[in-house]
Amino acid sequence: MKLSKKTTSMWSKKRIGIDGTPLWLPLITHLTDTKNVISWLYENWLSDGQRQILKRSTPYGTYSHSEQDIEKLISFVGFFHDIGKATPAFQKKTVSSRDEYIDKNIMERLMESGFSEINKKELSNSRDSPHGTAGEALLEYWEVPVSVGAIIGGHHGLPLSETPSGQISRYTDNYFQSETHPEIAASWKQTQREILDYGLELVGYSSVKEIPDVSQPQAVILEGLLIMADWLASSERLTNASEKELFPLVSLDTSYDEIDTDSRFDRAIGNWNLSDKWIPQKISSQDNPYKSRWGFEARPVQTAVTHAIAKTDDPGIIIIEAPTGVGKTEIALIAAEQLATIRGEDGVFIGLPTQATANAMFDRVDDWLEKVAKSQDERLSIKLMHGKARFNRHYQKIPDATNVEVPNTKAPSVTVNGWFSGKKSILTKFSVGTIDNLLLMGLKQKHLFLKHLGLSGKIVIIDEAHAIDIFMSQYLHVVISWLGAYHVPIVVLSATLPNENRNSLIEAYLKGKYGSSHPKGFKAPDRWQSTEAYPLLSILDGKELRQVTKFEGHSDQKPYTLQIQKINPTDEKLIQMVLTQISEGGIAGIIVNTVKRAQALARLIPKGVDMMIVHAAFLSPAREAQEEKLQRTTGKNAHRPKKMIVIGTQVLEQSLDIDFDILYTDIAPMDLIIQRAGRLHRHHIKRPKALQTPQVFIMGINGPGDYGKANELIYQRYLLMKTDYFLGDKINIPQDVSKLVQAVYSETNDNEISGMIGINESLTGFKTYLKTEAAKAEAYQVTPPDYFGDLHGWLNQAQNDVDKNEQLAKAAVRDIKQTVEVIMIQHTNKGDFLIPVNPDEQPQSIQTVSSKTIAKQLIRIPSSITPKVNRVIDVLAVQTHRYYPDWRNDVWLKGALVLRLDNNLSASLEGWRLHYSTKFGLSYSKEGDYEN
């Protein structure tokens, strides 16, 4: 079909090039580029599992599509995504005052092609018809299915609240230029109709009546794919620093007919597609994949999980509860290979509680991925996803995919692709990050579709699931329901889970996949909802839940007994007690619930005693050094000092591979006590004679039902009371683990402790807390999958700016107060200096180090100091601009805030006095008070 001059004269993009050359891109070219890209992505980038989402019928037997149906629909949304630009409202847009030449030239071209008087009449309401809305309105006008039109209306990240009915009649001039001049309006209608007919023919439709409806989950994936394709087709270069061209604008004197869209597409995809597609190899149940991947024989739990997955036909959610040290990470990675083969996925996401645990996991996953890539002669891409990933030394050493094409050399097996940055990061096929990156899949925000697209093609692994609190679990449930709708396999790893938590995860997956938490035909073992078996494997295969409770075979993990003693000494007596315990050698761990308490105890350690303090109130370089030293001195195959005390907060209870000879811990809920105890006698090593038996001392119990204000602010008093009651003088591992956890989290046994003073009030408070947390989480949560709905209103009342601010997003899904992260430096009369990591180091002038090094000097200001967070940001922004105006133009320091400390490493901020110690970290107090 030959296009008219009017159609080919319309523009999609225009700007002045760096050398002053006026550039543009015809609208039809961009529509064709995007159609080509999205079709290629469907065929070559989506996983088999994702393609099945688009073809598979809903649980109710609706919206089933053939391969040909979907291929046409994919091409249709790609081509018509910017049809709203074929309107006067868009074509009359100007770029800027300095680009008048382009605007004038294009306007003249439009007039010459037949759009008469387009330069004369100004449109008073053009902003009421942005091109996304206009595109959906035109499709509605042509009677395209509503569910498909909603995808076009939302392709800039936010769908409309409702169909744009009445948009064309209300703002007719925006669509047809002049309501009072029928011949002018007819010209626009004719041109728009020409694009419709051309596009339909191009994609293989003879009529809009052939376009199918789609379900809401299918629409979400299509929207994500369209956004990705549009962004790719709008990328002129691979990255800002790359010379590789993708879809550049052309000079203004180049016409549409002179552009070869086929060769343009081939060149762009050749430059963009820098990774291979992972084709996982089937693992036989007779194989020992642990031997081939890591060189060791599988433990019983590992073997059982591998065999159980091999027997599944339609694997869904898999929950593995087992003690620390059984190799759950290796279980998950082998499971990922198996599940990817069965379900046709081609990537993996692993979510962890903290940046520290994500960093530790990243090293292991990168090692595994390199073995996988080499064994299959593939090049695969990886991403570390958290706020400080760019400072991770291991991650920074991974080659950039854009710079590895060296003649006569073998390309690296694992790379990083710079195009997949920002909101596109989750599209990287293999990614390791904090759990927020998964939970954000359930938060209303602009471009949420990209998160669904990125995660719907991966095996999702959730590590340390016991660390997910009540508020976060509300997001996790809705996320799991969506992953269920996409039939994505999920692997959940935990030391143990309360029955209610495990059951709710399984039910959320069933509801997402089948529309009901107990679908017709569901099969499960007797008492599956109340089992106290441990270790425990729960595996959902279609509508059948299987649970494995027996793990046959030889294990190097023998049952053992923790000796438990409740103590309540003063801080001074506690330190003396610890020193006595390790007098003949050993490493003592002290895990407390607040930074303030950790600092107070650390100050009591006598000089000459090797001591580490680990908490969040250190500068980033110091925390990184602490983590490395901790692994080096207490991890697997560590060079252990003869005697050392490690004092830390909850960061020590999560999956860092550390090993104490004796443990002291503040009171916490039972599951966390057991998790902390997992840092005790973790490896089979020689220990001091006095510490041969694993001993745990529980602190902070002042009396029945009294656990101190600080502890009760962090953990619900009801859970502490039940932990206190059911925690005896020993714990048999693994036999007692699940029994104790269920005892604390089940209400059925509350009558046993009815005599404890305040238990009824604590239970009431706990229930109120649960309701409050659920209500807070629901405010900005997406709804679960609606198989009969479309995208309209799905992201209504999205939280403002959460898509642009990682700290705000993290706060939204973790229920934490928004705080401020600053670059902390020392200002003296000799200049400005970096604060040393260790007390014996000399400070470095910021004039002698790189911007990247300065940017790493990050620390988070305590939320107590920032109740008026925007005011604090404004104060620090003024200070930053005054003293460091050049930072705003620096790639590493742009947008950073600085807090300058004086000669004594102190500063005042909003009525608070802050002091930093290289030994103890950041402390603070109200001005005039003693230090906190």
Side-chain angles (χ1 to χ4, degrees):
M1 178 178 173
K2 178 69 174 176
L3 293 171
S4 68
K5 192 174 181 180
K6 282 193 297 184
T7 295
T8 59
S9 68
M10 285 192 285
W11 65 277
S12 173
K13 303 173 187 297
K14 54 183 177 178
R15 67 175 178 84
I16 294 290
I18 297 175
D19 60 355
T21 303
L23 304 170
W24 83 307
L25 196 67
L27 175 58
I28 294 296
T29 301
H30 179 59
L31 300 184
T32 305
D33 285 344
T34 309
K35 175 266 206 192
N36 289 339
V37 168
I38 198 171
S39 296
W40 187 92
L41 291 174
Y42 173 76
E43 291 289 342
N44 300 280
W45 186 83
L46 283 188
S47 70
D48 290 341
Q50 287 173 305
R51 286 192 288 272
Q52 288 300 319
I53 295 169
L54 300 177
K55 292 184 284 188
R56 184 190 300 119
S57 66
T58 70
Y60 309 99
T62 54
Y63 303 115
S64 175
H65 308 294
S66 70
E67 178 72 23
Q68 189 178 34
D69 287 339
I70 291 301
E71 288 176 356
K72 289 180 182 179
L73 181 59
I74 290 282
S75 295
F76 178 87
V77 297
F79 185 82
F80 284 95
H81 79 287
D82 269 353
I83 186 63
K85 290 182 176 180
T87 58
F90 185 86
Q91 291 300 312
K92 286 175 68 65
K93 274 188 170 185
T94 57
V95 180
S96 69
S97 57
R98 74 182 186 90
D99 295 337
E100 286 181 359
Y101 174 78
I102 293 183
D103 295 331
K104 183 179 178 181
N105 185 290
I106 288 178
M107 189 62 67
E108 289 174 352
R109 185 176 301 184
L110 289 168
M111 291 173 63
E112 289 172 3
S113 71
F115 291 114
S116 61
E117 300 186 19
I118 189 172
N119 65 328
K120 292 184 178 179
K121 183 179 178 181
E122 291 302 320
L123 302 174
S124 58
N125 299 304
S126 60
R127 291 187 177 181
D128 292 315
S129 303
H131 75 266
T133 300
E136 183 175 352
L138 285 171
L139 294 185
E140 181 185 63
Y141 180 70
W142 293 324
E143 299 183 339
V144 169
V146 169
S147 61
V148 176
I151 296 170
I152 303 306
H155 82 272
H156 281 289
L158 286 175
L160 303 185
S161 297
E162 56 188 5
T163 59
S165 302
Q167 167 74 206
I168 293 178
S169 60
R170 191 177 305 118
Y171 305 109
T172 304
D173 287 2
N174 290 345
Y175 292 83
F176 310 130
Q177 189 175 327
S178 178
E179 188 176 9
T180 58
H181 292 76
E183 70 282 1
I184 293 178
S187 177
W188 279 99
K189 291 179 182 179
Q190 179 187 10
T191 305
Q192 292 160 354
R193 185 72 203 195
E194 180 181 293
I195 297 175
L196 173 64
D197 292 340
Y198 176 79
L200 289 174
E201 180 181 315
L202 187 66
V203 304
Y205 290 132
S206 58
S207 164
V208 293
K209 293 180 180 179
E210 297 177 8
I211 301 171
D213 256 316
V214 291
S215 69
Q216 190 186 65
Q218 290 170 337
V220 172
I221 299 304
L222 283 170
E223 186 77 279
L225 191 65
L226 176 58
I227 292 170
M228 180 183 179
D230 187 22
W231 286 5
L232 178 49
S234 299
S235 299
E236 295 192 57
R237 290 183 296 171
L238 185 59
T239 65
N240 290 336
S242 173
E243 295 299 320
K244 290 188 175 183
E245 284 192 335
L246 296 182
F247 295 93
L249 275 60
V250 298
S251 63
L252 195 56
D253 57 6
T254 301
S255 69
Y256 165 75
D257 292 328
E258 295 175 277
I259 301 172
D260 183 346
T261 52
D262 288 339
S263 60
R264 173 181 169 88
F265 165 76
D266 290 340
R267 179 196 62 207
I269 288 299
N271 286 338
W272 179 83
N273 185 31
L274 301 175
S275 300
D276 296 319
K277 194 175 183 71
W278 180 39
I279 303 175
Q281 306 301 303
K282 184 175 181 179
I283 293 175
S284 168
S285 59
Q286 305 303 316
D287 294 342
N288 184 354
Y290 298 88
K291 187 77 172 178
S292 61
R293 289 282 182 253
W294 296 286
F296 63 78
E297 297 294 334
R299 298 186 175 103
V301 174
Q302 293 171 328
T303 299
V305 175
T306 301
H307 287 177
I309 292 175
K311 295 176 183 177
T312 61
D313 297 314
D314 185 16
I317 190 168
I318 299 166
I319 303 174
I320 302 161
E321 299 169 69
T324 56
V326 302
K328 291 194 288 288
T329 297
E330 290 79 8
I331 290 175
L333 293 175
I334 294 299
E337 294 188 51
Q338 292 179 282
L339 295 167
T341 304
I342 298 169
R343 289 248 46 103
E345 308 297 6
D346 62 359
V348 178
F349 170 80
I350 305 181
L352 298 106
T354 65
Q355 292 181 0
T357 53
N359 286 340
M361 179 63 77
F362 180 81
D363 293 352
R364 299 171 74 177
V365 173
D366 180 46
D367 176 67
W368 164 78
L369 188 59
E370 186 159 342
K371 291 173 182 174
V372 169
K374 285 182 176 178
S375 70
Q376 299 171 202
D377 196 23
E378 295 169 335
R379 184 196 298 176
L380 304 173
S381 285
I382 196 170
K383 191 83 175 180
L384 177 60
M385 296 183 63
H386 62 64
K388 297 185 179 68
R390 61 181 181 158
F391 301 127
N392 182 284
R393 283 179 288 180
H394 184 150
Y395 183 54
Q396 292 303 311
K397 289 179 181 178
I398 296 176
D400 187 325
T402 63
N403 299 321
V404 296
E405 299 294 343
V406 181
N408 302 318
T409 61
K410 184 172 176 59
S413 301
V414 179
T415 61
V416 174
N417 189 331
W419 190 85
F420 293 93
S421 61
K423 294 180 181 180
K424 303 190 295 291
S425 295
I426 195 63
L427 302 177
T428 306
K429 293 295 185 177
F430 295 89
S431 48
V432 178
T434 48
I435 192 68
D436 322 304
N437 292 285
L438 177 64
L439 300 181
L440 285 169
M441 186 181 172
L443 178 70
K444 291 180 179 179
Q445 58 186 293
K446 194 174 183 181
H447 298 120
L448 176 62
F449 307 97
L450 290 175
K451 295 190 184 298
H452 281 246
L453 177 67
L455 289 161
S456 61
K458 294 181 173 70
I459 305 302
V460 172
I461 299 170
I462 302 169
D463 198 8
E464 304 281 349
H466 49 266
I468 298 173
D469 61 26
I470 300 298
F471 182 88
M472 294 163 68
S473 68
Q474 306 303 309
Y475 278 96
L476 182 61
H477 292 157
V478 75
V479 166
I480 284 180
S481 72
W482 275 98
L483 292 174
Y486 301 141
H487 294 218
V488 168
I490 305 172
V491 180
V492 180
L493 307 176
S494 183
T496 187
L497 288 172
N499 283 332
E500 185 177 348
N501 291 15
R502 181 195 317 117
N503 299 340
S504 64
L505 296 178
I506 294 168
E507 289 168 357
Y509 194 92
L510 286 166
K511 187 170 184 179
K513 187 171 182 177
Y514 298 110
S516 169
S517 56
H518 290 83
K520 186 177 180 180
F522 175 64
K523 297 179 182 179
D526 294 337
R527 298 186 67 250
W528 70 273
Q529 293 173 304
S530 58
T531 180
E532 293 183 351
Y534 189 80
L536 176 64
L537 166 63
S538 302
I539 183 165
L540 191 63
D541 184 10
K543 293 182 181 179
E544 181 180 0
L545 176 69
R546 304 185 195 116
Q547 290 187 318
V548 179
T549 59
K550 296 187 182 301
F551 302 89
E552 305 293 339
H554 175 74
S555 175
D556 57 356
Q557 297 248 299
K558 303 300 181 185
Y560 64 97
T561 299
L562 294 173
Q563 299 297 324
I564 307 296
Q565 187 175 341
K566 299 173 184 177
I567 60 174
N568 191 30
T570 63
D571 289 352
E572 291 79 6
K573 288 185 178 179
L574 170 64
I575 297 304
Q576 287 303 314
M577 184 178 180
V578 174
L579 290 171
T580 300
Q581 290 277 12
I582 63 170
S583 59
E584 300 300 318
I587 300 176
I590 305 177
I591 302 179
V592 296
N593 293 335
T594 66
V595 172
K596 176 183 177 182
R597 178 156 159 74
Q599 291 172 329
L601 291 174
R603 289 188 174 97
L604 295 174
I605 304 297
K607 289 184 178 180
V609 176
D610 197 358
M611 184 270 292
M612 283 188 66
I613 177 170
V614 184
H615 56 67
F618 278 99
L619 284 161
S620 289
R623 289 191 67 182
E624 185 178 342
Q626 288 170 349
E627 291 166 16
E628 290 179 355
K629 181 180 177 182
L630 197 60
Q631 298 281 6
R632 205 167 52 243
T633 54
T634 70
K636 192 172 185 178
N637 302 318
H639 298 286
R640 297 172 72 87
K642 177 176 174 53
K643 186 189 303 185
M644 184 167 72
I645 298 174
V646 179
I647 302 173
T649 54
Q650 291 88 337
V651 297
L652 292 178
E653 80 188 24
Q654 288 152 356
S655 63
L656 293 171
D657 185 9
I658 54 179
D659 184 338
F660 299 136
D661 294 308
I662 190 168
L663 179 67
Y664 295 77
T665 172
D666 279 347
I667 184 72
M670 185 71 76
D671 51 333
L672 300 184
I673 292 283
I674 293 172
Q675 178 65 13
R676 292 177 185 185
R679 314 300 129 198
L680 180 65
H681 287 219
R682 188 178 177 94
H683 302 125
H684 298 292
I685 59 173
K686 185 177 180 181
R687 301 188 187 277
K689 187 176 181 180
L691 304 178
Q692 295 288 316
T693 300
Q695 302 171 72
V696 181
F697 294 86
I698 310 294
M699 307 175 292
I701 304 174
N702 301 325
D706 179 6
Y707 308 102
K709 183 179 179 181
N711 291 332
E712 292 180 20
L713 277 173
I714 297 168
Y715 302 113
Q716 286 292 301
R717 185 165 176 259
Y718 170 73
L719 298 179
L720 296 181
M721 291 181 77
K722 295 195 73 175
T723 298
D724 185 10
Y725 180 84
F726 286 106
L727 187 62
D729 59 4
K730 63 181 180 180
I731 300 176
N732 295 308
I733 305 291
Q735 300 96 308
D736 294 343
V737 171
S738 185
K739 294 176 185 178
L740 290 172
V741 172
Q742 310 317 329
V744 168
Y745 284 91
S746 172
E747 292 180 28
T748 59
N749 56 16
D750 282 357
N751 61 310
E752 294 183 36
I753 56 174
S754 57
M756 287 189 77
I757 298 174
I759 186 63
N760 293 329
E761 294 85 347
S762 295
L763 175 58
T764 300
F766 181 57
K767 289 182 175 180
T768 300
Y769 167 75
L770 294 179
K771 290 179 181 178
T772 301
E773 292 297 284
K776 280 195 296 183
E778 193 175 341
Y780 295 112
Q781 233 177 58
V782 297
T783 54
D786 178 2
Y787 285 102
F788 300 102
D790 54 42
L791 296 184
H792 289 122
W794 190 55
L795 297 183
N796 279 6
Q797 299 177 321
Q799 190 165 348
N800 292 334
D801 297 327
V802 74
D803 63 305
K804 304 173 187 174
N805 186 318
E806 184 178 355
Q807 291 186 38
L808 189 61
K810 181 178 179 179
V813 295
R814 285 188 183 255
D815 191 30
I816 55 178
K817 296 178 182 177
Q818 188 186 0
T819 58
V820 182
E821 195 168 53
V822 299
I823 291 175
M824 185 178 283
I825 60 177
Q826 183 180 26
H827 172 70
T828 72
N829 55 9
K830 295 181 180 179
D832 293 338
F833 297 87
L834 302 184
I835 298 170
V837 169
N838 299 309
D840 55 351
E841 291 180 359
Q842 290 298 312
Q844 290 179 280
S845 168
I846 66 171
Q847 303 298 324
T848 64
V849 298
S850 67
S851 297
K852 179 180 177 181
T853 300
I854 297 172
K856 291 175 68 173
Q857 312 304 306
L858 291 168
I859 194 168
R860 196 171 297 281
I861 302 298
S863 59
S864 302
I865 298 173
T866 59
K868 298 179 179 178
V869 66
N870 290 331
R871 175 182 166 83
V872 173
I873 290 172
D874 290 342
V875 168
L876 294 174
V878 169
Q879 177 176 299
T880 303
H881 178 59
R882 180 189 307 153
Y883 297 114
Y884 311 102
D886 294 342
W887 283 17
R888 66 174 66 183
N889 298 317
D890 189 285
V891 66
W892 288 97
L893 299 170
K894 183 179 181 180
L897 300 172
V898 71
L899 180 65
R900 303 202 309 172
L901 306 184
D902 60 22
N903 284 328
N904 298 315
L905 292 180
S906 298
S908 293
L909 182 64
E910 292 296 284
W912 292 83
R913 191 69 178 165
L914 290 82
H915 176 73
Y916 188 82
S917 162
T918 52
K919 187 173 183 180
F920 303 112
L922 181 67
S923 56
Y924 58 96
S925 61
K926 271 286 188 183
E927 291 192 321
D929 295 343
Y930 290 106
E931 239 178 37
N932 193 353

